[in-house]
Amino acid sequence: MQKSIKHSAQCSGMTITGKFQTAVTFFPAPPDTGIVFIRDDLPGKPQIECRAEYASADSRWTSLMKNTIHIEHTEHLLAAITGLGIDNLKIHLNSSHVPVVSQFSCHDFTNALLQAEPVIQHLPKKYLTVTKPQWIFDSFTFEGECYDNILIALPAAEPTFTYLLDYPNKQLPTQLAHYKLTPDSNFVSDLSPARSYIMDFEYDLVEGLIGSMIDQCLVLSNDKNNKLRWDNEPARHKLVDLLGDLATIGIPVKGHFIGIRTGHKTNIRMAKKLIEAFGGDCR
């Protein structure tokens, strides 16, 4: 069955650019509403529905844009909503940015939604179902060498996510994370605390993008003891990003997603491809 929340809840924090405070407030929504963002700071309070057609991504974060209205840095918030199985929600913002919370994890969003008391609604949940394999191939260059990455979607009875993290320079050891989103799984403890991270050699580049918010990042180096919450915390956070990016489809997806060295751009390309392939058969 579909799910919403009983009452409102709020999360606040700095924008990802570190320039000002911002907040999101969650409100219940009727069945079949989906996830809707509302810009309270703009005249007429324009809405942006969570749909892949409005999604775009760069190497650092994902955004939604409808006409000239945009919402920045959506992936962690949408991962929390997906992880808790919430289908219908109105999200009011006082700026164009979703706030950064809990060291770039989605844990605070998850806790706020739990405090708002998720509630079962009277209509069946709708799914986009992967009925035949789909894939996105891409590549990147590192130190003059070309490396492949791939995101595969396979038919599966439950939403399932696997990520293989494999850096060419092995500054992080190759690691695997796997998660099946079922009523018995525990997103709150298993994925939502997984923090975003950067490598030490990226520090200056990322600081130029996000300024003071670099202090919230987990900075990893093979020259020091990285205090991780799990040995595979970086791969787990890649699953958080994958869940959040695929949520731009607008409804849950039944399939097994296997990512190898992939990121936001690949995830959003897959979301758009799945809508094109299976969007007319949502049930």
Side-chain angles (χ1 to χ4, degrees), residues 3-261:
K3 189 185 293 187
S4 186
I5 55 177
K6 279 188 179 181
H7 49 80
S8 65
Q10 186 179 88
C11 270
S12 61
M14 293 294 289
T15 65
I16 195 170
T17 59
K19 293 182 178 179
F20 54 89
Q21 283 278 330
T22 188
V24 292
T25 306
F26 305 111
F27 286 93
D32 287 342
T33 298
I35 308 301
V36 180
F37 292 88
I38 302 168
R39 288 283 304 274
D40 287 346
D41 59 310
L42 295 179
K45 298 185 178 182
Q47 299 185 4
I48 303 180
E49 301 83 3
C50 185
R51 294 181 186 171
E53 65 187 282
Y54 303 140
S56 62
D58 59 23
S59 60
R60 296 296 172 184
W61 66 79
T62 298
S63 305
L64 295 172
M65 178 176 287
K66 181 180 180 182
N67 300 322
T68 59
I69 310 303
H70 58 103
I71 310 290
E72 300 286 340
H73 191 215
T74 58
E75 62 272 14
H76 301 158
L77 172 56
L78 290 177
I81 293 168
T82 300
L84 295 177
I86 294 172
D87 303 278
N88 304 299
L89 207 59
K90 291 189 176 180
I91 306 170
H92 289 251
L93 300 93
N94 62 0
S95 79
S96 61
H97 283 72
V98 173
V100 173
V101 300
S102 47
Q103 293 181 284
F104 285 94
S105 78
C106 64
H107 197 54
D108 288 356
F109 294 133
T110 305
N111 286 339
L113 290 166
L114 288 174
Q115 291 168 14
E117 298 184 59
V119 59
I120 301 297
Q121 298 178 300
H122 67 276
L123 290 183
K125 190 184 290 282
K126 296 179 179 178
Y127 289 93
L128 185 149
T129 301
V130 177
T131 57
K132 60 182 180 180
Q134 305 290 316
W135 53 86
I136 300 289
F137 284 106
D138 207 344
S139 63
F140 63 95
T141 301
F142 180 80
E143 294 184 350
E145 297 288 334
C146 187
Y147 296 88
D148 294 328
N149 54 33
I150 182 172
L151 180 58
I152 303 170
L154 301 174
E158 303 284 354
T160 307
F161 307 89
T162 303
Y163 192 88
L164 178 68
L165 187 151
D166 181 45
Y167 280 102
N169 61 355
K170 302 301 180 187
Q171 190 159 6
L172 274 181
T174 298
Q175 54 190 254
L176 185 76
H178 178 77
Y179 184 75
K180 185 175 288 188
L181 187 57
T182 68
D184 298 327
S185 60
N186 194 337
F187 176 82
V188 179
S189 62
D190 293 341
L191 279 190
S192 74
R195 296 164 292 175
S196 185
Y197 65 94
I198 61 170
M199 306 308 300
D200 57 357
F201 62 82
E202 300 177 292
Y203 190 95
D204 291 341
L205 172 64
V206 176
E207 186 179 29
L209 294 172
I210 67 175
S212 63
M213 292 308 293
I214 193 95
D215 295 336
Q216 294 292 313
C217 283
L218 176 63
V219 181
L220 300 179
S221 170
N222 59 4
D223 295 329
K224 63 180 181 180
N225 181 27
N226 299 308
K227 295 181 179 180
L228 300 176
R229 291 172 176 166
W230 306 273
D231 289 343
N232 67 342
E233 183 176 4
R236 291 192 193 213
H237 186 79
K238 289 291 190 178
L239 288 186
V240 170
D241 286 344
L242 180 58
L243 263 69
D245 288 340
L246 291 178
T248 61
I249 289 171
I251 59 173
V253 183
K254 281 187 179 179
H256 186 177
F257 296 87
I258 304 169
I260 303 172
R261 297 174 173 163

